[in-house]
Amino acid sequence: MLYNENLHEEEQHLIQQIAEQTERGKIDWELTEYNPLSFLNEDKIDKNPAVICQSFSFGAIIGGSRYELDVMENIDVPSGMGDYTITLTRDETENYLKIEDALSFDCDRYECTPEEVAERFADSPIVRLCNAIILPRLGRRI
């Protein structure tokens, strides 16, 4: 359990560093794919609620390595709870990295509407990174 906690802290630290460098303009993310707002019906098998979602894929060179970042914004229907999920990948044979994280992984603070996400998770590396990358493309804060 301690190993998992330490690993999660290291991943959070890396995401935080990348978010800070992106905010400062040191990392230039290129939008490689965008899936606009869409509605996904309720999943009858897994009992997942219906969601409104959009997703983004980005690529950047960080420290000489190619990173891919996938971001998904979800709003559950009918609860209205918002969530952001990221997957950060460095696909190198010798130095492979894959981090999957979401606001909903922080169960203590998660249950909130999309309007509350920005306030409740203002210090989250996920929100900071998404704001630094997506804001210039959409013209709004997450």
Side-chain angles (χ1 to χ4, degrees), residues 49-127:
V51 295
I52 298 170
C53 64
Q54 65 180 340
S55 64
F56 304 83
S57 294
F58 299 93
I61 303 296
I62 304 172
S65 297
R66 176 87 179 153
Y67 284 76
E68 302 293 330
L69 177 68
D70 295 315
V71 178
M72 180 170 279
E73 176 183 19
N74 295 324
I75 300 172
D76 289 344
V77 177
S79 73
M81 288 190 343
D83 195 10
Y84 295 94
T85 304
I86 66 167
T87 302
L88 179 67
T89 308
R90 181 181 56 223
D91 195 8
E92 296 179 346
T93 305
E94 297 294 321
N95 202 13
Y96 181 79
L97 171 77
K98 184 173 185 177
I99 299 172
E100 296 177 315
D101 205 354
L103 297 181
S104 59
F105 291 1
D106 185 352
C107 296
D108 294 338
R109 301 188 297 170
Y110 174 61
E111 290 194 14
C112 58
T113 65
E115 295 81 19
E116 296 171 322
V117 168
E119 179 183 330
R120 195 170 291 181
F121 291 96
D123 61 338
S124 165
I126 294 171
V127 171

Side-chain angles (χ1 to χ4, degrees), residues 1-54:
M1 186 67 153
L2 183 60
Y3 173 76
N4 287 339
E5 289 176 19
N6 288 339
L7 182 59
H8 181 71
E9 285 180 22
E10 286 181 33
E11 292 173 348
Q12 289 291 299
H13 183 70
L14 178 60
I15 295 168
Q16 184 74 29
Q17 287 181 321
I18 291 173
E20 288 173 4
Q21 291 179 24
T22 301
E23 290 170 334
R24 291 187 194 131
K26 304 278 186 193
I27 299 174
D28 183 31
W29 292 93
E30 175 189 350
L31 180 65
T32 57
E33 186 177 341
Y34 172 62
N35 294 309
L37 283 173
S38 57
F39 181 79
L40 301 176
N41 288 330
E42 180 179 20
D43 186 335
K44 305 287 187 206
I45 297 170
D46 293 333
K47 302 294 184 203
N48 293 329
V51 295
I52 298 170
C53 64
Q54 65 180 340

